[in-house]
Amino acid sequence: MTLTTTDRPAPIVKSGHVQLSIILAESDKNTLQNQIFDQIRSMILNGQLKCDDPMPTTRELSSQLGVSRNTAVLAYERLIAEGYIRTKPYVGTFVSPDLPDTAFLSANHRTPPTEEQGAAIEVPPPCGALRTHRLADPERRRLAADFWVGRPDARSFPLKAWSHHIKNRLKAVGSNLTSYNDAAGLMELRRAVAKHLAPARGVVADPEQIVIVGGCQDGFNLVGRLLVTPGSTAVVESPCYQGAAFVLESLGATLYPVPVDQDGLDVSRLPKTRGAVAYVTPSHQYPIGVTMSLQRRLELLAWATQYDAYIMEDDYDSDFRFVGSPLTALKGLDRNERVIYLGTFSKCMGPGLRLGYVVLPRRLAEAGRRMKMLMNNGQSWLEQAAMADFMSSGEFGRHLRRIRQLYRDRRDALLGALRNHFGACEIYGDQAGMHLVWKLPDGFPDAAEVEKRGLAAGVGVCSLATGSALRFDDNDGGDRLLMLGFVALTEKEIETGIARLAQALKA
C-alpha cells in the first residue's frame, strides 16, 4: 500500500523545554520559508510561545523539518527583522519581550469568522452539572486558629521513619519504578492491611480481597462503578458526607436519604427495594459523630441480606477512639458477604500520600481488581512499598498510639475551652474521631452566621455545608450544628480560637 500526500507530517521541533508543531505543506503556494515564518509568528501571537521563551537553533529547525538550513535562516531573519524574536550572542535565540504594535493589533482585533467558517459551537459538559465537595480553603491559612474538619496534624507526621523506608526502597528499586505492578496493589501492603484490620476492627480478610486505592474517594468510585447502574437506589445517611453521595449521584443512582438519630442510621426507614447500595459511616457518623449501636448494625446487615443489597462501610477515622473500645466494624459482623469496607491512611498519616484500601466480598474481588485496572492501573509503587515497611516494622502501631493520645488531649482541650467560655454545651461525636459537633444553644445565631463572625475574628469553624456535609431536610436542625475539627491545632491554639470566637459572638 502506497501513501501519497502533498503535505509533510508535522515533526516536533524542540525549543528548550517547549515543543513546536509545524506543518509544512508542499501544495501551499507560500514558500517553505514563509510557512515557517507564519506558523512561528502565530504561535507567538496566540501565546503558545511567550516572551523570552528559547527557540530552537536554525540547525535544529532545519534538521527536524527536513529543509535546508538556509530556509530556516531566512525565516528567522524575517522574524528578527519584524521584532518577533531576538538573538543573544553566545546564548541563543528567544521570543522578543517587546513585540511590535502590529502584533498586538492583529492578536486583539481579529476578524470574526465568516459564514463559511461557521460560528463558535457551544459544547455541553460531558456529564451535566457534577456536584463536588470542598476539601480545603487556602484563604483560611491566615487564620489564628482554624477548626477545619478532617485535617490531620502535619507536625505529627513520622517524617524520619518515613524517609528511612523511602531511601531503603530506592536502594533496591530494581524495575519497580519503570514497570506496571498489580493494579490491586502491592501484595506486601495488602498483607499488612489484612494483618492490621483483624485485631483492630475485627475484619478478617484475605489479601486477595483487598484493593489499594487513592484514599476513600477513589474507593467510592471503584465500588460505585462495580455496583451502581443508572436509576439504581443508593441509600445514604441524612445528613451524610458529600464526597460519597456525589459520586453515587454522578453514576446515575437515585439518592434515598435515611435519617440519623443518637443510635445512628434509622434502619426502620430503609427502603424495601432489592439490589440497593447503602453508604454508611457507623463508627463515627459523618457529620454528626454518633456511633451506630450494635442492634442497628445487626438489623442493617439483615436488611442487606433480605433485599440483596450491598453496604459501603466508610471507616474513615476509626483509628481514634477515646472512650472505651470501638465496636466491631460492620464488615467484622458480616456473615453473608454484603459489606464492602473502605479504610484510608489519609487521617492517620496524611491525604497527600493518596493511600487507602477497599475490602471486597470474595465474589467481587476479581471484578474489583479489573475495575481498578480500568480506572488507573493502580497506585504509586514507592508509597505503597514504604507504607508496607512502615506497618510491618511495628512503627505504624506506635505512631497510632502516640497520635491517639495527642488527639485525645486536644479533644479535652476543646471541650474545656467550650465549657469555660460558653458554659454547658450540647456536644455530639466527642467519643471518637477528629471532629466534634456543637449544637448551638437558643439565642445564638445559626451555624452559618457563627462561621461568618468567626472568620471575621480570625477563627475558622464549619457549618455542615462548609464541612462537606449534605443535608436533605431544611427542618432537620442542621443549621444549628457547628463542626469543630481539633487534631491539627495545639492546645494553646484551641484556647485562643475559642476565646476569640466567644468574643466575636458577644460583640
PDB file of all heavy atoms in Angstrom, residues 33-60:
ATOM      1  N   GLN A  33       9.892  28.878   3.524  1.00  0.00           N
ATOM      2  CA  GLN A  33      10.377  29.937   4.422  1.00  0.00           C
ATOM      3  C   GLN A  33       9.207  30.728   4.999  1.00  0.00           C
ATOM      4  O   GLN A  33       9.142  30.981   6.208  1.00  0.00           O
ATOM      5  CB  GLN A  33      11.310  30.858   3.637  1.00  0.00           C
ATOM      6  CG  GLN A  33      11.609  32.174   4.322  1.00  0.00           C
ATOM      7  CD  GLN A  33      12.123  33.216   3.348  1.00  0.00           C
ATOM      8  OE1 GLN A  33      12.759  32.882   2.370  1.00  0.00           O
ATOM      9  NE2 GLN A  33      11.828  34.475   3.605  1.00  0.00           N
ATOM     10  N   ASN A  34       8.246  31.100   4.145  1.00  0.00           N
ATOM     11  CA  ASN A  34       7.098  31.873   4.614  1.00  0.00           C
ATOM     12  C   ASN A  34       6.183  31.046   5.521  1.00  0.00           C
ATOM     13  O   ASN A  34       5.579  31.579   6.458  1.00  0.00           O
ATOM     14  CB  ASN A  34       6.306  32.419   3.427  1.00  0.00           C
ATOM     15  CG  ASN A  34       7.018  33.568   2.736  1.00  0.00           C
ATOM     16  OD1 ASN A  34       7.903  34.200   3.321  1.00  0.00           O
ATOM     17  ND2 ASN A  34       6.657  33.832   1.485  1.00  0.00           N
ATOM     18  N   GLN A  35       6.048  29.763   5.219  1.00  0.00           N
ATOM     19  CA  GLN A  35       5.220  28.900   6.069  1.00  0.00           C
ATOM     20  C   GLN A  35       5.799  28.820   7.481  1.00  0.00           C
ATOM     21  O   GLN A  35       5.073  28.880   8.473  1.00  0.00           O
ATOM     22  CB  GLN A  35       5.103  27.504   5.460  1.00  0.00           C
ATOM     23  CG  GLN A  35       4.277  27.450   4.192  1.00  0.00           C
ATOM     24  CD  GLN A  35       4.159  26.044   3.658  1.00  0.00           C
ATOM     25  OE1 GLN A  35       3.764  25.129   4.382  1.00  0.00           O
ATOM     26  NE2 GLN A  35       4.517  25.863   2.388  1.00  0.00           N
ATOM     27  N   ILE A  36       7.114  28.668   7.562  1.00  0.00           N
ATOM     28  CA  ILE A  36       7.762  28.607   8.883  1.00  0.00           C
ATOM     29  C   ILE A  36       7.562  29.931   9.613  1.00  0.00           C
ATOM     30  O   ILE A  36       7.220  29.968  10.799  1.00  0.00           O
ATOM     31  CB  ILE A  36       9.261  28.288   8.726  1.00  0.00           C
ATOM     32  CG1 ILE A  36       9.444  26.884   8.138  1.00  0.00           C
ATOM     33  CG2 ILE A  36       9.972  28.403  10.075  1.00  0.00           C
ATOM     34  CD1 ILE A  36      10.882  26.558   7.764  1.00  0.00           C
ATOM     35  N   PHE A  37       7.761  31.039   8.889  1.00  0.00           N
ATOM     36  CA  PHE A  37       7.576  32.369   9.487  1.00  0.00           C
ATOM     37  C   PHE A  37       6.148  32.527  10.015  1.00  0.00           C
ATOM     38  O   PHE A  37       5.935  32.955  11.153  1.00  0.00           O
ATOM     39  CB  PHE A  37       7.897  33.458   8.452  1.00  0.00           C
ATOM     40  CG  PHE A  37       7.454  34.832   8.865  1.00  0.00           C
ATOM     41  CD1 PHE A  37       8.256  35.613   9.696  1.00  0.00           C
ATOM     42  CD2 PHE A  37       6.219  35.344   8.469  1.00  0.00           C
ATOM     43  CE1 PHE A  37       7.836  36.885  10.095  1.00  0.00           C
ATOM     44  CE2 PHE A  37       5.799  36.606   8.870  1.00  0.00           C
ATOM     45  CZ  PHE A  37       6.609  37.378   9.689  1.00  0.00           C
ATOM     46  N   ASP A  38       5.164  32.223   9.178  1.00  0.00           N
ATOM     47  CA  ASP A  38       3.758  32.429   9.561  1.00  0.00           C
ATOM     48  C   ASP A  38       3.384  31.593  10.793  1.00  0.00           C
ATOM     49  O   ASP A  38       2.681  32.082  11.697  1.00  0.00           O
ATOM     50  CB  ASP A  38       2.842  32.057   8.400  1.00  0.00           C
ATOM     51  CG  ASP A  38       2.901  33.080   7.261  1.00  0.00           C
ATOM     52  OD1 ASP A  38       3.325  34.225   7.530  1.00  0.00           O
ATOM     53  OD2 ASP A  38       2.528  32.716   6.130  1.00  0.00           O
ATOM     54  N   GLN A  39       3.836  30.341  10.841  1.00  0.00           N
ATOM     55  CA  GLN A  39       3.420  29.468  11.935  1.00  0.00           C
ATOM     56  C   GLN A  39       4.093  29.856  13.257  1.00  0.00           C
ATOM     57  O   GLN A  39       3.459  29.826  14.320  1.00  0.00           O
ATOM     58  CB  GLN A  39       3.688  28.005  11.586  1.00  0.00           C
ATOM     59  CG  GLN A  39       2.791  27.515  10.453  1.00  0.00           C
ATOM     60  CD  GLN A  39       2.952  26.047  10.155  1.00  0.00           C
ATOM     61  OE1 GLN A  39       2.918  25.214  11.059  1.00  0.00           O
ATOM     62  NE2 GLN A  39       3.150  25.720   8.879  1.00  0.00           N
ATOM     63  N   ILE A  40       5.356  30.236  13.220  1.00  0.00           N
ATOM     64  CA  ILE A  40       6.020  30.676  14.446  1.00  0.00           C
ATOM     65  C   ILE A  40       5.429  31.991  14.923  1.00  0.00           C
ATOM     66  O   ILE A  40       5.194  32.202  16.121  1.00  0.00           O
ATOM     67  CB  ILE A  40       7.548  30.801  14.221  1.00  0.00           C
ATOM     68  CG1 ILE A  40       8.149  29.410  14.003  1.00  0.00           C
ATOM     69  CG2 ILE A  40       8.207  31.484  15.415  1.00  0.00           C
ATOM     70  CD1 ILE A  40       9.646  29.414  13.737  1.00  0.00           C
ATOM     71  N   ARG A  41       5.159  32.899  13.986  1.00  0.00           N
ATOM     72  CA  ARG A  41       4.526  34.170  14.347  1.00  0.00           C
ATOM     73  C   ARG A  41       3.166  33.924  15.010  1.00  0.00           C
ATOM     74  O   ARG A  41       2.838  34.548  16.023  1.00  0.00           O
ATOM     75  CB  ARG A  41       4.365  35.023  13.088  1.00  0.00           C
ATOM     76  CG  ARG A  41       3.649  36.359  13.304  1.00  0.00           C
ATOM     77  CD  ARG A  41       3.586  37.124  11.987  1.00  0.00           C
ATOM     78  NE  ARG A  41       2.868  38.380  12.132  1.00  0.00           N
ATOM     79  CZ  ARG A  41       1.547  38.522  12.030  1.00  0.00           C
ATOM     80  NH1 ARG A  41       0.799  37.445  11.777  1.00  0.00           N
ATOM     81  NH2 ARG A  41       0.974  39.697  12.174  1.00  0.00           N
ATOM     82  N   SER A  42       2.359  33.012  14.464  1.00  0.00           N
ATOM     83  CA  SER A  42       1.051  32.696  15.057  1.00  0.00           C
ATOM     84  C   SER A  42       1.191  32.114  16.456  1.00  0.00           C
ATOM     85  O   SER A  42       0.401  32.429  17.353  1.00  0.00           O
ATOM     86  CB  SER A  42       0.299  31.712  14.154  1.00  0.00           C
ATOM     87  OG  SER A  42      -0.027  32.307  12.914  1.00  0.00           O
ATOM     88  N   MET A  43       2.204  31.281  16.659  1.00  0.00           N
ATOM     89  CA  MET A  43       2.426  30.718  17.993  1.00  0.00           C
ATOM     90  C   MET A  43       2.740  31.814  19.006  1.00  0.00           C
ATOM     91  O   MET A  43       2.306  31.760  20.161  1.00  0.00           O
ATOM     92  CB  MET A  43       3.571  29.699  17.961  1.00  0.00           C
ATOM     93  CG  MET A  43       3.256  28.420  17.223  1.00  0.00           C
ATOM     94  SD  MET A  43       4.674  27.302  17.212  1.00  0.00           S
ATOM     95  CE  MET A  43       4.075  26.026  16.104  1.00  0.00           C
ATOM     96  N   ILE A  44       3.491  32.810  18.585  1.00  0.00           N
ATOM     97  CA  ILE A  44       3.831  33.922  19.481  1.00  0.00           C
ATOM     98  C   ILE A  44       2.585  34.760  19.777  1.00  0.00           C
ATOM     99  O   ILE A  44       2.305  35.113  20.932  1.00  0.00           O
ATOM    100  CB  ILE A  44       4.947  34.787  18.857  1.00  0.00           C
ATOM    101  CG1 ILE A  44       6.248  33.974  18.766  1.00  0.00           C
ATOM    102  CG2 ILE A  44       5.169  36.059  19.671  1.00  0.00           C
ATOM    103  CD1 ILE A  44       7.358  34.669  17.985  1.00  0.00           C
ATOM    104  N   LEU A  45       1.800  35.058  18.752  1.00  0.00           N
ATOM    105  CA  LEU A  45       0.611  35.884  18.942  1.00  0.00           C
ATOM    106  C   LEU A  45      -0.455  35.172  19.769  1.00  0.00           C
ATOM    107  O   LEU A  45      -1.197  35.802  20.520  1.00  0.00           O
ATOM    108  CB  LEU A  45       0.026  36.287  17.590  1.00  0.00           C
ATOM    109  CG  LEU A  45       0.892  37.198  16.716  1.00  0.00           C
ATOM    110  CD1 LEU A  45       0.185  37.520  15.412  1.00  0.00           C
ATOM    111  CD2 LEU A  45       1.255  38.476  17.460  1.00  0.00           C
ATOM    112  N   ASN A  46      -0.559  33.849  19.625  1.00  0.00           N
ATOM    113  CA  ASN A  46      -1.575  33.080  20.359  1.00  0.00           C
ATOM    114  C   ASN A  46      -1.147  32.712  21.770  1.00  0.00           C
ATOM    115  O   ASN A  46      -1.912  32.092  22.512  1.00  0.00           O
ATOM    116  CB  ASN A  46      -1.914  31.802  19.587  1.00  0.00           C
ATOM    117  CG  ASN A  46      -2.638  32.089  18.285  1.00  0.00           C
ATOM    118  OD1 ASN A  46      -3.322  33.099  18.175  1.00  0.00           O
ATOM    119  ND2 ASN A  46      -2.471  31.214  17.304  1.00  0.00           N
ATOM    120  N   GLY A  47       0.082  33.081  22.137  1.00  0.00           N
ATOM    121  CA  GLY A  47       0.537  32.790  23.491  1.00  0.00           C
ATOM    122  C   GLY A  47       1.139  31.412  23.666  1.00  0.00           C
ATOM    123  O   GLY A  47       1.491  31.025  24.782  1.00  0.00           O
ATOM    124  N   GLN A  48       1.262  30.629  22.579  1.00  0.00           N
ATOM    125  CA  GLN A  48       1.915  29.327  22.695  1.00  0.00           C
ATOM    126  C   GLN A  48       3.408  29.497  22.975  1.00  0.00           C
ATOM    127  O   GLN A  48       4.009  28.674  23.668  1.00  0.00           O
ATOM    128  CB  GLN A  48       1.709  28.519  21.410  1.00  0.00           C
ATOM    129  CG  GLN A  48       0.263  28.110  21.161  1.00  0.00           C
ATOM    130  CD  GLN A  48       0.063  27.562  19.771  1.00  0.00           C
ATOM    131  OE1 GLN A  48      -0.287  28.289  18.842  1.00  0.00           O
ATOM    132  NE2 GLN A  48       0.308  26.278  19.614  1.00  0.00           N
ATOM    133  N   LEU A  49       3.974  30.554  22.402  1.00  0.00           N
ATOM    134  CA  LEU A  49       5.350  30.943  22.722  1.00  0.00           C
ATOM    135  C   LEU A  49       5.277  32.297  23.419  1.00  0.00           C
ATOM    136  O   LEU A  49       4.672  33.234  22.901  1.00  0.00           O
ATOM    137  CB  LEU A  49       6.189  31.052  21.448  1.00  0.00           C
ATOM    138  CG  LEU A  49       6.542  29.738  20.742  1.00  0.00           C
ATOM    139  CD1 LEU A  49       7.240  30.012  19.422  1.00  0.00           C
ATOM    140  CD2 LEU A  49       7.412  28.869  21.639  1.00  0.00           C
ATOM    141  N   LYS A  50       5.887  32.390  24.571  1.00  0.00           N
ATOM    142  CA  LYS A  50       5.802  33.606  25.371  1.00  0.00           C
ATOM    143  C   LYS A  50       7.139  34.350  25.357  1.00  0.00           C
ATOM    144  O   LYS A  50       8.165  33.806  24.935  1.00  0.00           O
ATOM    145  CB  LYS A  50       5.389  33.267  26.805  1.00  0.00           C
ATOM    146  CG  LYS A  50       4.040  32.550  26.882  1.00  0.00           C
ATOM    147  CD  LYS A  50       3.620  32.313  28.311  1.00  0.00           C
ATOM    148  CE  LYS A  50       2.323  31.505  28.367  1.00  0.00           C
ATOM    149  NZ  LYS A  50       1.211  32.163  27.649  1.00  0.00           N
ATOM    150  N   CYS A  51       7.106  35.579  25.838  1.00  0.00           N
ATOM    151  CA  CYS A  51       8.304  36.411  25.848  1.00  0.00           C
ATOM    152  C   CYS A  51       9.457  35.705  26.539  1.00  0.00           C
ATOM    153  O   CYS A  51       9.297  35.135  27.625  1.00  0.00           O
ATOM    154  CB  CYS A  51       8.017  37.739  26.555  1.00  0.00           C
ATOM    155  SG  CYS A  51       6.809  38.753  25.692  1.00  0.00           S
ATOM    156  N   ASP A  52      10.631  35.742  25.884  1.00  0.00           N
ATOM    157  CA  ASP A  52      11.887  35.165  26.381  1.00  0.00           C
ATOM    158  C   ASP A  52      11.905  33.643  26.367  1.00  0.00           C
ATOM    159  O   ASP A  52      12.831  33.028  26.913  1.00  0.00           O
ATOM    160  CB  ASP A  52      12.216  35.680  27.791  1.00  0.00           C
ATOM    161  CG  ASP A  52      12.675  37.130  27.774  1.00  0.00           C
ATOM    162  OD1 ASP A  52      13.346  37.523  26.797  1.00  0.00           O
ATOM    163  OD2 ASP A  52      12.355  37.863  28.724  1.00  0.00           O
ATOM    164  N   ASP A  53      10.900  32.989  25.761  1.00  0.00           N
ATOM    165  CA  ASP A  53      10.992  31.539  25.564  1.00  0.00           C
ATOM    166  C   ASP A  53      12.126  31.243  24.594  1.00  0.00           C
ATOM    167  O   ASP A  53      12.301  31.950  23.587  1.00  0.00           O
ATOM    168  CB  ASP A  53       9.690  30.985  24.996  1.00  0.00           C
ATOM    169  CG  ASP A  53       8.664  30.701  26.070  1.00  0.00           C
ATOM    170  OD1 ASP A  53       9.008  30.820  27.263  1.00  0.00           O
ATOM    171  OD2 ASP A  53       7.517  30.345  25.723  1.00  0.00           O
ATOM    172  N   PRO A  54      12.933  30.200  24.845  1.00  0.00           N
ATOM    173  CA  PRO A  54      14.023  29.871  23.916  1.00  0.00           C
ATOM    174  C   PRO A  54      13.491  29.242  22.632  1.00  0.00           C
ATOM    175  O   PRO A  54      12.496  28.522  22.639  1.00  0.00           O
ATOM    176  CB  PRO A  54      14.866  28.866  24.712  1.00  0.00           C
ATOM    177  CG  PRO A  54      13.897  28.237  25.660  1.00  0.00           C
ATOM    178  CD  PRO A  54      12.906  29.303  26.018  1.00  0.00           C
ATOM    179  N   MET A  55      14.154  29.524  21.527  1.00  0.00           N
ATOM    180  CA  MET A  55      13.801  28.968  20.223  1.00  0.00           C
ATOM    181  C   MET A  55      14.847  27.926  19.830  1.00  0.00           C
ATOM    182  O   MET A  55      16.000  27.988  20.264  1.00  0.00           O
ATOM    183  CB  MET A  55      13.774  30.084  19.169  1.00  0.00           C
ATOM    184  CG  MET A  55      12.759  31.183  19.443  1.00  0.00           C
ATOM    185  SD  MET A  55      11.066  30.601  19.251  1.00  0.00           S
ATOM    186  CE  MET A  55      11.036  30.241  17.496  1.00  0.00           C
ATOM    187  N   PRO A  56      14.459  26.968  18.983  1.00  0.00           N
ATOM    188  CA  PRO A  56      15.474  26.020  18.500  1.00  0.00           C
ATOM    189  C   PRO A  56      16.479  26.748  17.603  1.00  0.00           C
ATOM    190  O   PRO A  56      16.168  27.781  16.999  1.00  0.00           O
ATOM    191  CB  PRO A  56      14.648  25.008  17.708  1.00  0.00           C
ATOM    192  CG  PRO A  56      13.421  25.741  17.298  1.00  0.00           C
ATOM    193  CD  PRO A  56      13.134  26.688  18.431  1.00  0.00           C
ATOM    194  N   THR A  57      17.668  26.223  17.510  1.00  0.00           N
ATOM    195  CA  THR A  57      18.651  26.807  16.598  1.00  0.00           C
ATOM    196  C   THR A  57      18.215  26.540  15.163  1.00  0.00           C
ATOM    197  O   THR A  57      17.394  25.658  14.890  1.00  0.00           O
ATOM    198  CB  THR A  57      20.041  26.204  16.820  1.00  0.00           C
ATOM    199  OG1 THR A  57      20.001  24.803  16.461  1.00  0.00           O
ATOM    200  CG2 THR A  57      20.466  26.324  18.281  1.00  0.00           C
ATOM    201  N   THR A  58      18.769  27.308  14.232  1.00  0.00           N
ATOM    202  CA  THR A  58      18.410  27.086  12.834  1.00  0.00           C
ATOM    203  C   THR A  58      18.863  25.708  12.361  1.00  0.00           C
ATOM    204  O   THR A  58      18.207  25.076  11.528  1.00  0.00           O
ATOM    205  CB  THR A  58      19.046  28.170  11.950  1.00  0.00           C
ATOM    206  OG1 THR A  58      20.466  28.212  12.179  1.00  0.00           O
ATOM    207  CG2 THR A  58      18.430  29.533  12.250  1.00  0.00           C
ATOM    208  N   ARG A  59      19.951  25.211  12.918  1.00  0.00           N
ATOM    209  CA  ARG A  59      20.420  23.872  12.553  1.00  0.00           C
ATOM    210  C   ARG A  59      19.411  22.814  13.024  1.00  0.00           C
ATOM    211  O   ARG A  59      19.075  21.884  12.297  1.00  0.00           O
ATOM    212  CB  ARG A  59      21.802  23.616  13.151  1.00  0.00           C
ATOM    213  CG  ARG A  59      22.443  22.303  12.669  1.00  0.00           C
ATOM    214  CD  ARG A  59      23.783  22.085  13.351  1.00  0.00           C
ATOM    215  NE  ARG A  59      24.704  23.188  13.095  1.00  0.00           N
ATOM    216  CZ  ARG A  59      25.438  23.308  11.982  1.00  0.00           C
ATOM    217  NH1 ARG A  59      25.334  22.403  11.022  1.00  0.00           N
ATOM    218  NH2 ARG A  59      26.249  24.326  11.838  1.00  0.00           N
ATOM    219  N   GLU A  60      18.929  22.976  14.297  1.00  0.00           N
ATOM    220  CA  GLU A  60      17.929  22.040  14.822  1.00  0.00           C
ATOM    221  C   GLU A  60      16.637  22.121  14.021  1.00  0.00           C
ATOM    222  O   GLU A  60      16.020  21.104  13.688  1.00  0.00           O
ATOM    223  CB  GLU A  60      17.637  22.347  16.294  1.00  0.00           C
ATOM    224  CG  GLU A  60      18.781  22.041  17.248  1.00  0.00           C
ATOM    225  CD  GLU A  60      18.512  22.549  18.659  1.00  0.00           C
ATOM    226  OE1 GLU A  60      17.698  23.493  18.801  1.00  0.00           O
ATOM    227  OE2 GLU A  60      19.116  22.009  19.594  1.00  0.00           O
TER     228      GLU A  60
END
